[in-house]
Amino acid sequence: MPKVNPLILRWARETAGLSVEDAADKLGIGDARGVAGIDRLAMLEDGQVEPTRPQLIKMSTQYRRPLLTFYLAEPPVTAARGEDFRTLPDEYARRDAALVDTLLREVRARQEMVRSLLESEEEAEPLDFVASYDIRRGAEGLATVISERLGFSLQSFRSSNGRGTPKGFAYLRERAEAAGIFVLLIGNLGSHHSALNVELFRGFALSDKVAPFVVINDQDSEQAWSFTLLHELAHIWLGQTGVSGGRPTSDIETFCNDVAGRILLPSAEIAGEVALRGARQDVVIARIGEIAELRQISHSMVAYKLYREGIIDQAIWSSVTAVFRQQWLNNKAAQRARARENEGGPSYYLVRRHRLGNRLLRLSKRMLADGALSPSKAAAILGVKPNNVFSLTDGVA
């Protein structure tokens, strides 16, 4: 058996977003012969001790790396995340960035498998809208182009019915998937312990002519998903692969936000809100709530739109956004408390289908039936265990 480069061990742990302490715990490396578990792992990473095969298998599982990775001569180059459209707060550490890199790497691999599958089955029809728009044509123009291509109806968005999802989002997602885009909801790396804060990652787009992917952080409020989806669709039309965060400080992020805002809340609908200029914060908050509830959109999105239209100033926008953020955090905490008290809840398969989206599930189900996709490869594409594949896809119409 070839020797393992200890640099690989350290690289695999760090890019999985784990500290030495967390990794030792997950790997089951405890204290032994007077040596602490974290020191034993450090000795492996320093090359003082050669890892056993069982240890490498555990690392493969916990670090989310193929076993063969540990026998490479050198650590591979970190997978590119595309353009990084975020401006992150100082408090987000290297571990947080590593978690996003891990998620991006996993979704990229799934996207590549989907594209290869479509190509091998001669179903790889290039989508002409990907990378078709020049930003110099303006946000209003792109909002119109996206709406027309999706066949998006604002009336349908506001009145459609969905189960277990925001009404408008279910409709918008269906239109995006019908156009050929895979839309996934992912907010962690498999457990609530690896949840990704929306300030760190709100969504990302993987621009591709055959299999474009959009991922939305489902840790965000459900009412915000539609805005994020349209924001990432703007990146797809611009041909940009990259990750977006919660603070739009760059020109491109402002542009994509403006596109989404024009689609979900046309300027004409809030032109009459001039009474909010100079109004007290509580008055602004109450009116934003009314606008948001009527139109199936988030309070923060309405606040942003009012700010961009010059109806409220930056100070009031920042203050009401902070209020809405705290309200959402409080509501989420209350929901978690209720969930702990109540037994049952949605089934694993129902939740998983919702996160994966119908386009990816239907493709996998059809390719499984045709024999073009093995259960193990379908499991990799869907991000589940092989023994869950058929139960998951059998419930898809």
Side-chain angles (χ1 to χ4, degrees):
M1 180 184 298
K3 284 196 171 185
V4 173
N5 182 344
L7 294 177
I8 295 281
L9 303 182
R10 180 172 298 162
W11 164 84
R13 173 180 58 76
E14 290 178 346
T15 55
L18 296 173
S19 66
V20 176
E21 292 81 0
D22 290 340
D25 181 61
K26 287 181 176 293
L27 296 171
I29 300 178
D31 300 350
R33 296 183 295 277
V35 180
I38 58 174
D39 293 330
R40 293 177 62 205
L41 178 55
M43 291 169 67
L44 291 170
E45 294 185 355
D46 290 339
Q48 299 177 45
V49 179
E50 185 75 12
T52 65
R53 183 172 177 81
Q55 285 176 328
L56 290 176
I57 291 173
K58 286 184 179 180
M59 290 178 180
S60 174
T61 300
Q62 297 299 331
Y63 297 166
R64 297 173 178 268
R65 295 286 183 181
L67 184 59
L68 289 176
T69 301
F70 295 91
Y71 297 105
L72 295 173
E74 297 291 338
V77 177
T78 301
R81 62 163 68 108
E83 296 185 59
D84 195 335
F85 303 115
R86 304 169 300 167
T87 301
L88 295 178
D90 294 336
E91 63 265 25
Y92 290 104
R94 183 178 182 181
R95 174 184 180 275
D96 299 310
L99 288 174
V100 174
D101 282 336
T102 300
L103 175 60
L104 283 167
R105 185 172 57 247
E106 289 188 359
V107 177
R108 272 185 177 277
R110 292 160 72 177
Q111 180 202 37
E112 289 168 3
M113 285 188 282
V114 169
R115 184 176 60 244
S116 297
L117 179 64
L118 293 172
E119 289 171 346
S120 65
E121 296 301 304
E122 299 182 351
E123 295 186 17
E125 298 181 5
L127 301 170
D128 60 359
F129 59 81
V130 176
S132 65
Y133 196 83
D134 189 325
I135 195 172
R136 291 172 294 184
R137 293 166 58 190
E140 187 69 44
L142 183 50
T144 300
V145 167
I146 291 176
S147 294
E148 291 178 349
R149 181 55 183 258
L150 298 186
F152 176 80
S153 162
L154 194 55
Q155 181 180 1
S156 296
F157 173 84
R158 291 172 178 173
S159 62
S160 62
N161 292 315
R163 294 183 178 180
T165 66
K167 297 176 182 178
F169 176 74
Y171 165 75
L172 176 59
R173 185 189 206 177
E174 183 274 327
R175 299 313 308 155
E177 292 188 330
I181 300 162
F182 296 89
V183 181
L184 283 67
L185 294 166
I186 307 175
N188 59 50
L189 297 177
S191 75
H192 68 276
H193 297 294
S194 57
L196 297 165
N197 190 293
V198 295
E199 292 295 328
L200 177 70
F201 141 67
R202 178 153 280 159
F204 63 81
L206 298 180
S207 182
D208 185 89
K209 284 285 187 179
V210 172
F213 270 53
V214 167
V215 175
I216 299 167
N217 188 344
D218 64 3
Q219 301 296 315
D220 204 353
S221 73
E222 296 182 349
Q223 288 72 28
W225 293 349
S226 297
F227 185 84
T228 299
L229 174 51
L230 286 167
H231 175 107
E232 299 306 329
L233 291 182
H235 282 301
I236 295 290
W237 254 262
L238 294 172
Q240 297 172 331
T241 287
V243 56
S244 302
R247 302 185 183 186
T249 56
S250 67
D251 290 343
I252 185 61
E253 289 297 86
T254 298
F255 177 87
C256 292
N257 276 353
D258 286 346
V259 171
R262 280 169 165 78
I263 294 174
L264 293 179
L265 185 58
S267 299
E269 293 190 7
I270 58 171
E273 302 292 338
V274 292
L276 294 179
R277 289 197 177 102
R280 299 193 317 270
Q281 177 174 292
D282 61 325
V283 173
V284 174
I285 288 174
R287 181 55 185 151
I288 287 175
E290 293 171 355
I291 296 171
E293 294 301 321
L294 182 64
R295 292 167 173 81
Q296 298 289 330
I297 52 181
S298 71
H299 294 60
S300 295
M301 187 241 145
V302 176
Y304 178 78
K305 181 73 174 183
L306 291 170
Y307 164 65
R308 290 293 292 165
E309 293 294 323
I311 295 173
I312 61 176
D313 60 24
Q314 185 172 12
I316 193 70
W317 169 53
S318 297
S319 65
V320 299
T321 298
V323 170
F324 294 141
R325 175 68 175 165
Q326 190 58 52
Q327 288 176 347
W328 173 70
L329 290 172
N330 293 341
N331 289 337
K332 191 170 184 180
Q335 289 173 0
R336 284 197 298 265
R338 287 194 298 269
R340 286 193 296 267
E341 294 173 0
N342 300 325
E343 296 182 1
S347 73
Y348 166 84
Y349 295 109
L350 184 63
V351 172
R352 182 63 64 174
R353 290 184 197 116
H354 169 50
R355 290 174 177 168
L356 290 168
N358 285 330
R359 178 164 172 75
L360 192 60
L361 286 165
R362 287 169 180 163
L363 174 67
S364 300
K365 181 176 182 177
R366 179 165 57 82
M367 292 298 181
L368 279 164
D370 293 344
L373 193 61
S374 67
S376 59
K377 194 160 188 178
I381 288 175
L382 298 172
V384 298
K385 296 179 180 179
N387 59 358
N388 289 332
V389 167
F390 288 106
S391 295
L392 185 64
T393 56
D394 283 346
V396 179

